[in-house]
Amino acid sequence: MPVWNLSEARGRMISEAEVRLQYGDHPTMFCMLLNHGGKFTDFPGRNYVNGKRHYVDLIDIETFCVHDIDDMMVKLGYIDENLHVEMYYHFRRPLCDLDFGLFALASDDDVRHLAKYVGQHKLIEVYTEHGQTKLHTYSMSPNPSKVRIVEIDCTPKRLFLEWHDTQVEPNDVLTFEPNRNNPPVSPTRNEPSIDKVDMVSDNANIMETEIEHSSDDNSSGDEINSGDDSESQDGDFLLDEDNIIDDVEVDMREFHLNVDPDVEWIGGASKRKNHVVTEDGNEADLEVIDMELFLSDSSSDDGIEGERNKKIKAIRRAHENENAQVSEPFYLYQKFNSSKEFKDMVNQHAIDTRRELDFEKNDKNRVRVVCRGTITSLGGGTGQEVVNEEGKCPWVLLASKWKRDKDWTVKTYVSEHKCLQTRKVRACDYKFLSKQTLQLVEANPKIPVKALREQLQCIYKVDISKMKAFRAREAALKIIRGDYATQYKILQDYLLEVQTQNPDTTIKLDVESEPNPDVETRTFRRVYVCLGALKQGFAAGKRDFLGVDGAFMKGPFHGQILSAVALDGNNGIYPLAYAVVEAETLNSWTWFLTHLGDDLGLASNSNFTFISDRQKGLSSAIADLFPCAEHRYCVRHIHENMRSRWRGDKFKELLWNCSTTYTVQEFEKEMEEVIKLNQECYEWLKQIPPQHWARSHFTGRAHSDIVINNICECFNSKIIDGRDTPIINCLEFIREYIMKRIVNVEKEIDKATGPLTPTATKLLQKIKDQAEEYTASFCGNGKYQVSGPWQDQCVVNVNQRTCSCKKWEITGMPCKHAVSAIWDMRRNNGAIGIPETFVHECYWLSTWRNMYSFKVDPINGRRLWIKSPCPTTLLPPKHHVPIGRPKKKRRKSTTEKENMIKGNTVSRAQKTVTCTKCNNKGHNARTCKGQLPTVGKKGKKKNEKGKEKDKGKENEKGKQKKKGKEKDPL
């Protein structure tokens, strides 16, 4: 039986911080705020009125059940043990409002649903209803049922509670929103009680407070035209001027990441010896102690060995002091740590001197190098070339190991060359060139092969083929970025590091099913990432709107990057979640949206808004998971599909007019224009439900009238450089871009002034300019009749914040009719009408600042990553090599192909040519080879005409032959 203790009586609301301070980090304990005796108002703006509140402390979720709330209701006197009373219990998901955050609390499944939030939130609100309910939470519950109290055990053995009552006035609204910016401090024992304050005031009063405490600077982001990549954009592009994505620039040019554990970095400190330079600029012949030189104490200068060591040191010192050290890098008794170091220096010398050096002996104890160069001479003034009879250059180099020493020592060296230099050096291969071009390729990964080849030929004075330069660049990129297949082995370590450094981050890794569970390897399938800071920022943005889209990866392991992008108050993108999947299918989209719904707390009855390009499987996945959600289609992609059959600016204009009208009457009027233009186009467009693409059928849930999915296209264009990298580099590129972007946007927020965001201020000013031409007539009860030019007349209800044009309801920003009515408020009821106070809070500057107050934390490098405890090793997905050259560019739309320009003329590419002879497409009459004619009315008529012409020609030829025979005298 659980033991509940009561908190001390307080005259104000208890905050989440106070409860967390009391419970600490205990994962199962929480405090309940029980709201009872009231009822819910209608949707939207649902509140719980005429009720009372009680706090119950020290509740353990492991022992909590629904019957415990029954005992509370008995103690409060709502339930009589002799009567049967229906009770309905609901709990509110933390950080959500009463419109979309209520869930049923009627069964053990509902209690388990409640337990998901106890670990992160210690204050849970519970609401009760008596007799009947208007909510649909019970029908959406996993175990739908009604809580009917039949028998209540009220014996003294049951829990005894002492209640501390907080009476609520009938007009007060029982809502609770924690203050993240200024969390209240837990009261001390000697602290007096605090008077009760109203939790939520009128929206206008809240807005006036925000105006008074706003900052003083002002700035706006740069307007950009988003796209999928850097290719030329569609000249016939549909542009929504009121919803231009305003985004900040993020510099990702310096992004580089190599997480391969065995990568050998080229470069570092110089190996040149220390020298002292005099005042005249020359190097002084002084000995400088090398502090990094390690000398063995076993060396002795006594006896024969001492004399021998002195001679060796004298030879080395003399050679090191020579000025010709660059041209002659070898000398006797020269030491090398390994044979690899010795052979690398030989290859470097062969390239520097352009000699054909060959390893004659190459084993574990000795390496002998000879020169295979060509020796020629001119003979006796004849001008003919004579080859030396010996045919062998005297240059030779031998290095071997001492018996008891691991160092390699030069024992034979003849530095004389009699051969000619060559431009074809075998040592100058792509592996050597890749190490020498690391810095160049890292600074410019897209350097052309031709430019790289010319630069290497100028440096080394040797012949380098185009393919060798290409392979060198690819090898350098592999060293810089990492290997595609190797990164899958350490992907689990990277995901663990991201989740460790960023609390409340959700990462889901999916692998292919393995029939044998004992196998220690698993094949990668999918990965989903949703950073904790992004979840908190999205909830603070107060706009239930998401754009979902996919973009293909360009590496050897093909896949798709699925993304969910939100819209902030300044009409800028706010990436929320991303995933790497095998393809865009119904299964992959369902998997992605399921995890996204869990992170956002979306249920099947959630009234959310999505916008997409109607990808494969996406519409079905949204309809199955979120049947109550609003799913918008991108009008641009609808226009591209329509252009395949009906082309012309007139069709585009009518489609845009149908999509951007705000009332059903205007929508039907525009559809009638489509009927007049083309009946088939109207029937085709009618098959798409208007609630997916017409503003007149949208709801006001998202507070946005956007009909083009340019927010996802803008995000895809930002990560285009990361899509051609290995899996970890791709995920880290996206994470680092989001991390930098949040900081850049915060800098723009610090410069902004006024109550609204810069973009919202511009839009509202445009509406104010239009409202100057309208006049408002007060009709009482907050209603106005607003009239303007062109017989534009609408009804505005200031109290309900509605207008008959529906623009205010859909966008959340007062329309021109509403602004005119707000200006007229002072003349009628004495209130000062400020249009900014009637704008939805998602456009407020304070909301925008709060949204970007949650930062993405950085992560450590590869060496500091914690090893994943998962016992299995991750393998890359199966790679299927497609036929032909791998495609790097996106597929262009029909409009882009038609609008291609070559030079000063419009290209005829993608234009279909019809032959006038056979009526077939793809060739003209000049190149016609007598193909079979097509079946059709026009084809039949042309074929009949052709047959008549052929018959006429044959008759003429027959007549001429007969005349010729008659004239012949024979």
Side-chain angles (χ1 to χ4, degrees), residues 684-749:
W684 179 85
L685 194 60
K686 189 178 179 180
Q687 294 178 359
I688 306 176
Q691 61 266 22
H692 293 305
W693 60 280
R695 290 175 180 173
S696 57
H697 294 72
F698 288 171
T699 62
R701 306 169 186 170
H703 310 297
S704 175
D705 60 351
I706 187 171
V707 292
I708 299 177
N709 192 18
N710 49 1
I711 55 176
C712 291
E713 294 176 355
C714 180
F715 176 70
N716 292 336
S717 66
K718 301 298 181 181
I719 64 172
I720 188 172
D721 293 334
R723 286 154 48 188
D724 196 11
T725 57
I727 179 68
I728 296 181
N729 294 51
C730 179
L731 297 175
E732 181 60 16
F733 186 93
I734 300 175
R735 190 201 65 83
E736 188 170 327
Y737 166 75
I738 297 174
M739 178 182 67
K740 292 182 178 180
R741 186 187 178 279
I742 291 177
V743 177
N744 293 350
V745 174
E746 192 175 28
K747 294 178 182 178
E748 299 295 329
I749 295 175

Side-chain angles (χ1 to χ4, degrees), residues 26 48-49 54 79 150 282 332 335 354 362 382 416 445 507 519 566 601 669 729 747 775 810 876 916:
H26 202 286
Y48 191 79
V49 297
H54 287 85
I79 301 176
V150 180
N282 298 324
L332 295 178
K335 294 283 187 178
R354 302 200 300 276
N362 186 8
T382 60
E416 181 184 3
I507 296 179
V519 177
K669 181 179 179 181
N729 294 51
K747 294 178 182 178
T775 57
I810 296 175
T916 58

Side-chain angles (χ1 to χ4, degrees), residues 243-290:
N243 291 290
I244 297 178
I245 300 302
D246 194 350
D247 198 20
V248 298
E249 293 295 334
V250 179
D251 187 6
M252 297 295 293
R253 292 176 297 179
E254 298 181 357
F255 173 80
H256 65 277
L257 175 68
N258 193 305
V259 294
D260 290 346
D262 300 328
V263 170
E264 179 183 357
W265 289 99
I266 307 299
S270 176
K271 296 183 179 180
R272 186 182 179 187
K273 300 295 182 180
N274 296 326
H275 295 279
V276 178
V277 181
T278 59
E279 296 181 357
D280 56 356
N282 298 324
E283 293 185 357
D285 191 9
L286 298 178
E287 236 182 273
V288 181
I289 298 177
D290 190 354

Side-chain angles (χ1 to χ4, degrees), residues 10 87 128 139 239 244 257 325 342 455-456 470 627 636 654 668 698 758 783 834 866 888 924 938:
R10 300 180 177 91
M87 300 295 298
T128 64
S139 61
L239 179 62
I244 297 178
L257 175 68
Q325 183 177 358
F342 172 72
Q455 188 168 358
L456 291 176
F470 171 77
R636 179 191 175 189
L654 290 178
E668 294 176 352
F698 288 171
K783 294 183 179 181
I834 302 177
I866 302 174
K888 293 287 186 178
N924 53 18
K938 295 182 179 180

Side-chain angles (χ1 to χ4, degrees), residues 287 310 312-322 331:
E287 236 182 273
K310 288 180 180 180
I312 294 175
K313 290 180 181 180
I315 294 174
R316 292 177 180 172
R317 189 179 298 111
H319 188 80
E320 291 173 359
N321 292 333
E322 290 181 359
Y331 55 91

